[in-house]
């Protein structure tokens, strides 16, 4: 039995010390995911801890179908997504469809990237990118957080988000495309202020 | 490789997810086409900025507060089956199943009684009428137990479940109990339920609602029958076979569509969640118990 398996078995019996050792290597990443998804450090701490509590509560039903870490991160991501859904109703995402009486209208982000040079002429700063990623819908944001910020592979993301690999590929692609559009839109707006 | 195809491959190339041939074609086009090269480099710059973000440190009191929260979790209340989640899902599925069946206007839907009601207190009063045939037996004033197999509803259901394996039926059982000692009987019944893969959702002493794993519910009813006087059993079933099958079919259709559309992915998720809810309701039928205190 591996170290991890021993710790899991002990945690299943209620050994809190064993549980703390088990999750130690995952804490920073879990907190990091929550922070990038939720922005606010207090929320990130609350939500990542809520996820760890869920992991502890349901560790009895962990069945080794996936690896322990992907199971854990799935809980982290889902807890973040639930929190976002509950609390961010007021925020409008640029790529979320508008719901009208006639049905949904997909909100198109205007494509201002016709000119290929456009990004080079703008100031592509970390701040700009961070602000823009915040405007993505939560599914796209999660995909990019997991892939580019936390370094998970396509396979791992497929297990964490419980979606087929094909969907991982298209979601990441669309997320990046939308992010680029948002960056262009925002950097243009910012430029106008200086005129 | 043409420009359109190139643009579709940029994201995969950045993540090194192209096969060797595609990669070769991609790099060839990259060197030949200035516009595409710019597109690629823009996407790459953005991705690199994301990848460049430093790892965060945990807040200072993170472990302390987490330990405190973990200690508050009562491990003994946590069972292998996620009951709390099931009960909230069950409440949701009640509304969902009712509205789905109304919308689908399904003629196969069988509902013996209005099993799912929101106003429990009024229903409590209605259901307390003991049917005529059982009244006589009860009036003999002995603790005659009604054997389950003698009740017509039960044997019919056994037939159903044996012959029609593929039907999806959500069971709902209501038991009517006569007792001299309400508190004891109530807690004995709670023990039976909890020892047989069941959990109690609501216990108002004179009314109890529980969910019991489908393979155990007959055992539970039998056990209750042995320790308490069951004056009546009502079985209300909801046949969701059609809805279940349709949901399965919808999921398969969506998964088989050629388009790789985001909206389709989201729809698949919704339908799969619905199917999950159906399964949970099927696995954990409802058990309601009404207690009537007998005067000495």
């Amino acid at each position: 039995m591996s170290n991890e398996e021993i710790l899991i078995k002990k945690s299943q019996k209620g050994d809190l010390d064993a549980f703390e050792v088990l999750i130690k290597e995952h804490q920073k990443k879990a907190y990091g995911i929550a922070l990038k998804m939720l922005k606010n450090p207090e929320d990130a701490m609350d939500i990542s801890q809520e996820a760890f509590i869920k992991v502890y509560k349901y560790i009895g039903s962990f069945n080794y179908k996936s690896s322990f870490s992907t199971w854990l991160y799935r809980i982290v991501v889902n807890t973040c997504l639930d929190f976002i859904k509950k609390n961010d109703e007021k925020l409008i995402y640029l790529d979320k469809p508008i719901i009208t009486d006639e049905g949904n209208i997909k909100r198109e982000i205007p494509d201002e990237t016709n000119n290929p040079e456009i990004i080079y002429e703008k100031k592509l700063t970390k701040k700009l990118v961070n602000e823009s990623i915040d405007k993505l819908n939560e599914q796209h944001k999660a995909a990019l957080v997991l892939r580019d910020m936390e370094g998970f592979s396509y396979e791992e993301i497929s297990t964490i988000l419980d979606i087929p690999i094909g969907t991982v590929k298209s979601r990441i692609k669309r997320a990046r495309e939308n992010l680029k559009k948002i960056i262009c839109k925002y950097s243009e707006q910012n430029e106008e202020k200086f005129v | 490789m043409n420009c359109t195809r190139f643009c579709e491959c940029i994201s995969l190339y950045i993540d090194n997810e192209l096969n060797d041939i595609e990669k070769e074609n991609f790099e060839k086009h990259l060197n030949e086409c200035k516009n595409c090269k710019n597109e690629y480099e823009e996407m790459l710059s953005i991705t690199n900025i994301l990848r460049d973000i430093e790892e965060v440190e945990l807040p200072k009191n993170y472990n302390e507060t987490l330990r405190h929260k973990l200690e508050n979790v009562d491990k003994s209340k946590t069972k292998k089956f996620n009951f709390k989640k099931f009960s909230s899902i069950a409440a949701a599925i009640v509304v969902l199943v009712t509205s789905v069946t109304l919308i689908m206007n399904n003629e196969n839907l069988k509902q013996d009684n209005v099993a799912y009601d929101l106003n429990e207190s009024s229903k409590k009063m209605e259901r307390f009428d003991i049917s005529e045939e059982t009244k006589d037996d009860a009036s003999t004033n002995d603790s005659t137990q009604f054997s389950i197999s003698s009740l017509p509803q039960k044997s019919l259901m056994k037939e159903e479940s044996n012959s029609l394996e593929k039907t999806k039926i959500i069971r709902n059982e209501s038991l009517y109990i006569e007792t001299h000692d309400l508190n004891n009987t109530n807690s004995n019944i709670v023990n039976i339920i909890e020892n047989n893969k069941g959990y109690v959702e609501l216990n108002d002493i004179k009314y109890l609602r529980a969910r019991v794993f489908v393979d155990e519910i007959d055992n539970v009813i039998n056990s209750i029958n042995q320790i308490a006087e069951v004056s009546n059993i009502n079985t209300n079933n909801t046949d969701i076979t059609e809805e279940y099958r349709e949901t399965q079919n919808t999921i398969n259709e969506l998964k088989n569509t050629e388009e790789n559309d985001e909206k389709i992915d989201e729809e698949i998720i919704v339908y799969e969640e619905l199917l999950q809810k159906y399964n949970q309701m099927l696995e954990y039928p409802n058990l309601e118990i009404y207690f009537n205190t007998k005067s000495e």
Side-chain angles (χ1 to χ4, degrees), chain B residues 4-50:
Chain B
T4 316
R5 179 79 194 131
F6 181 90
C7 285
E8 283 171 16
C9 288
I10 292 177
S11 181
L12 294 171
Y13 181 78
I14 287 176
D15 290 329
N16 206 15
E17 288 279 333
L18 291 178
N19 67 40
D20 291 336
I21 299 171
E22 288 173 327
K23 191 174 169 186
E24 211 181 293
N25 289 334
F26 183 92
E27 286 169 348
K28 190 162 176 251
H29 188 90
L30 182 67
N31 292 327
E32 290 168 350
C33 177
K34 198 178 180 224
N35 278 347
C36 284
K37 186 173 184 191
N38 283 329
E39 283 286 323
Y40 162 70
E41 284 175 352
E42 283 168 15
M43 190 75 93
L44 186 63
S45 329
I46 297 173
T47 305
N48 284 336
I49 289 186
L50 289 176

Side-chain angles (χ1 to χ4, degrees), chain A residues 17 27 48-49 116 154 174, chain B residues 15 42 62 69 260 262:
Chain A
D17 296 320
Q27 283 182 318
S48 62
Q49 288 183 339
Y154 277 42
R174 238 173 251 122
Chain B
D15 290 329
E42 283 168 15
Y62 191 93
K69 288 178 185 176
N260 207 347
E262 191 73 15

Side-chain angles (χ1 to χ4, degrees), chain B residues 189-190 193 200 202-203 206-210 287-289 291:
Chain B
I189 288 179
V190 167
I193 290 169
V200 175
L202 178 65
N203 191 352
K206 287 196 107 179
Y207 171 75
L208 180 91
R209 189 178 72 229
L287 176 66
E288 287 176 302
I289 303 181
F291 295 88

Side-chain angles (χ1 to χ4, degrees), chain A residues 36-37 39 81 84 88 91-96 109 129-145 171-183 186, chain B residues 46 50:
Chain A
K36 285 148 195 162
M37 294 289 290
K39 288 303 167 186
L81 293 176
I84 291 175
D88 283 2
L91 290 189
I92 296 172
Y93 295 104
L94 283 184
D95 58 350
K96 241 192 187 156
I109 304 169
V129 170
N130 265 325
E131 284 172 2
S132 307
I133 201 175
D134 220 18
K135 300 285 181 290
L136 285 175
N137 80 38
E138 60 264 13
Q139 296 290 351
H140 286 163
K141 197 196 296 190
L144 289 189
V145 166
R171 195 172 290 185
I172 288 178
K173 171 175 166 288
R174 238 173 251 122
R176 285 174 175 158
E177 287 166 355
N178 285 344
L179 180 61
K180 187 167 132 182
K181 286 181 190 172
I182 293 170
I183 287 173
Y186 273 86
Chain B
I46 297 173
L50 289 176

